[in-house]
Amino acid sequence: MPKPKFIENLLVDHWNTVQEVSPPLRRFPEGETWRSTPKLLKLRRYLNARRAIAAMKRGAGPLSSYPTYLTIDPFSACNLKCPLCPTGNGRITLKKGRLQTEMFRHIVDEMGTYLYNIDMFNWGEPLLNKDIYAMIAYAHKRHIITSVSSNFHYFDAQAAERMINSGLDYLILSIDGATQATYEQYRVGGDLDTVLRNVGTLTDTRKQLGSSTPYIFWQYLVFRHNEHEIEQARALATDLGVDEFKTELAFLEVDTREKGERWIPRQPQYSRYNLAELDTVWRVEEAKQAVAFAPAVTMPGRAPGVALDLLPARPQADPGKPLRRRLPDCLWLYTTVVVNADGSIAPCCAVEKKEDSIGTLQGGGTIGGVWNSKEYQAARIYSTRGAESGVETVCHHCVLAPAEGENR
């Protein structure tokens, strides 16, 4: 018997809501964990999600809803030295270490009723945590969708069985080349043959066990040095039995011409950046540098013209303080918590400094206890209403938002 129309509409709205309040799920197909979740649990999560969206629309500070998804970092260090990653290049100041299983269970026990999914990765290599498969299994029993992103060096046949039996839903493989010479330019310290062998081990084991999970993505960050190997890598992924090959547009350091020309792909469909606009900005900056080191003379013809709208409109009053930045209606503040390996809490995955944490689970702390803290409430009303509460947070200097006077 076909479902009544209102039930069909409700189911569609639910899945659309899930993808709105859990942005990571936008990149994933509907999977077995979603389909097997009990209807009553789905309804509870759905109502919680709708409350979160409504709260953001009215600019609320305190919330009656709880997070709809979490980003949890099982291990806050990495075996590779990727030059644009704050962990790989040493810029990150978060404490290095391993997330304790007891803390993870504490999180799931507290928030499991409300969570659609948990991303089991952030700034480190998650498979370095020997307990990660037990953690995934614990979340899976609560019908929580789980995903892992890995450079896939720490893996073998035994790990393949443990991963599959844990119920992991999605595995993202970070592989950015089809040859060692290309791959190692970004994945510094990595060995492509090892990674490909491990991928084959997983797909073979998955087939032997008759499992459809984890769904495997080969994620290919596109740079100038590797854009010529995309199709070769795609063919490798197919041969190895990977479910999906996806190119990803990388966030790059492009503040100078040298950096831009090193990293930005030549093919515009693989780039987040407009080379013509950047060239204008670079010319202005180069001219300013030339003036700084040249005799004090007038330089006709150096007016930046149209490039001014790409640069700060006025100098910063206090260069020692971070620029004031506001990301309007940030859904992360209403739906998400990031838990670092040491138990510190951040409002989003872009936070990489320990001093920017806004709470902790150490000493018996809870996510619920931090969720409506003065820091979280201050960040929310600043994002949605531009209102000040007297409490300063990392969200008042959001690296994802334009600074005052900037156009992006």
Side-chain angles (χ1 to χ4, degrees):
M1 178 182 295
K3 294 183 177 68
K5 190 64 177 179
F6 81 93
I7 293 294
E8 290 184 359
N9 292 339
L10 183 63
L11 292 174
V12 170
D13 182 65
H14 190 184
W15 181 243
N16 290 339
T17 299
V18 169
Q19 294 180 85
E20 181 176 359
V21 300
S22 296
L25 290 181
R26 294 172 190 163
R27 64 179 181 263
F28 297 145
E30 185 179 312
E32 179 59 33
T33 298
W34 168 260
R35 290 191 292 268
S36 63
T37 301
K39 292 180 180 179
L40 181 58
L41 183 55
K42 277 188 175 182
L43 178 61
R44 289 175 177 171
R45 290 173 177 171
Y46 174 62
L47 294 176
N48 177 66
R50 297 307 304 177
R51 286 199 302 273
I53 294 171
M56 185 191 71
K57 289 180 177 178
R58 66 174 183 270
L63 304 180
S64 61
S65 60
Y66 291 97
T68 59
Y69 82 98
L70 301 179
T71 293
I72 300 180
D73 205 350
F75 202 89
S76 58
C78 188
N79 52 303
L80 302 185
K81 301 292 182 182
C82 304
L84 298 181
C85 171
T87 301
N89 62 29
R91 186 177 74 235
I92 200 163
T93 63
L94 292 170
K95 184 179 179 180
K96 291 181 172 60
R98 177 174 67 89
L99 179 73
Q100 299 300 310
T101 305
E102 294 75 16
M103 182 175 289
F104 181 82
R105 289 177 175 172
H106 175 70
I107 295 169
V108 173
D109 289 345
E110 181 192 6
M111 289 289 143
T113 299
Y114 310 104
L115 296 175
Y116 285 114
N117 69 292
I118 300 176
D119 274 353
M120 300 286 291
F121 60 92
N122 196 20
W123 291 122
E125 168 49 52
L127 299 189
L128 287 171
N129 188 324
K130 63 182 178 62
D131 296 327
I132 188 168
Y133 302 119
M135 295 179 190
I136 293 168
Y138 195 77
H140 181 70
K141 290 178 181 177
R142 302 292 291 269
H143 304 282
I144 300 171
I145 296 167
T146 53
S147 57
V148 163
S149 180
S150 172
N151 61 54
F152 223 49
H153 282 79
Y154 287 86
F155 201 73
D156 55 24
Q158 183 180 13
E161 289 195 18
R162 294 186 65 197
M163 176 180 283
I164 292 165
N165 291 331
S166 72
L168 176 67
D169 293 284
Y170 302 103
L171 174 65
I172 303 166
L173 303 172
S174 299
I175 311 173
D176 318 309
T179 63
Q180 178 64 25
T182 297
Y183 171 79
E184 67 185 359
Q185 289 189 52
Y186 186 70
R187 302 292 168 180
V188 178
D191 183 78
L192 182 60
D193 285 342
T194 297
V195 174
L196 296 180
R197 183 172 60 251
N198 290 341
V199 176
T201 296
L202 176 59
T203 55
D204 288 346
T205 305
R206 187 178 65 171
K207 185 176 181 180
Q208 292 166 10
L209 295 179
S211 176
S212 61
T213 57
Y215 188 94
I216 305 170
F217 293 86
W218 179 320
Q219 178 178 270
Y220 193 105
L221 288 178
V222 185
F223 305 102
R224 181 166 298 194
H225 68 265
N226 71 359
E227 59 185 320
H228 67 289
E229 288 188 354
I230 291 174
E231 294 310 314
Q232 189 178 347
R234 192 190 307 274
L236 276 174
T238 300
D239 291 343
L240 287 167
V242 168
D243 296 298
E244 190 171 340
F245 178 91
K246 300 184 75 172
T247 55
E248 188 73 25
L249 309 185
F251 289 97
L252 306 172
E253 295 178 1
V254 295
D255 53 311
T256 67
R257 186 182 300 276
E258 180 183 12
K259 292 178 182 177
E261 292 180 348
R262 176 184 179 186
W263 296 112
I264 298 175
R266 290 182 173 85
Q267 301 175 70
Q269 68 268 33
Y270 296 126
S271 176
R272 295 181 181 274
Y273 306 91
N274 184 305
L275 281 173
E277 290 182 354
L278 281 174
D279 183 68
T280 303
V281 174
W282 291 334
R283 286 176 183 274
V284 171
E285 289 302 307
E286 289 162 0
K288 289 165 63 177
Q289 291 296 319
V291 171
F293 292 100
V297 296
T298 58
M299 300 182 67
R302 292 290 188 176
V306 72
L308 280 176
D309 68 351
L310 302 173
L311 299 172
R314 56 184 172 77
Q316 189 178 351
D318 184 353
K321 293 183 179 180
L323 285 171
R324 198 73 165 173
R325 299 176 185 267
R326 173 175 170 250
L327 188 63
D329 294 336
C330 177
L331 192 59
W332 281 73
L333 294 171
Y334 289 84
T335 61
T336 312
V337 166
V338 175
V339 182
N340 298 309
D342 64 352
S344 59
I345 290 177
C348 85
C349 63
V351 176
E352 59 187 59
K353 296 180 180 179
K354 60 183 180 182
E355 57 268 30
D356 288 334
S357 299
I358 60 173
T360 183
L361 300 182
Q362 294 286 0
T366 64
I367 288 179
V370 176
W371 189 234
N372 278 319
S373 65
K374 60 182 181 181
E375 290 82 7
Y376 247 120
Q377 292 191 48
R380 288 178 188 128
I381 64 172
Y382 179 69
S383 171
T384 55
R385 291 186 264 153
E388 299 285 358
S389 67
V391 177
E392 197 85 351
T393 73
V394 63
C395 299
H396 291 73
H397 313 283
C398 178
V399 297
L400 302 178
E404 291 183 1
E406 283 184 332
N407 296 314
R408 287 191 181 180

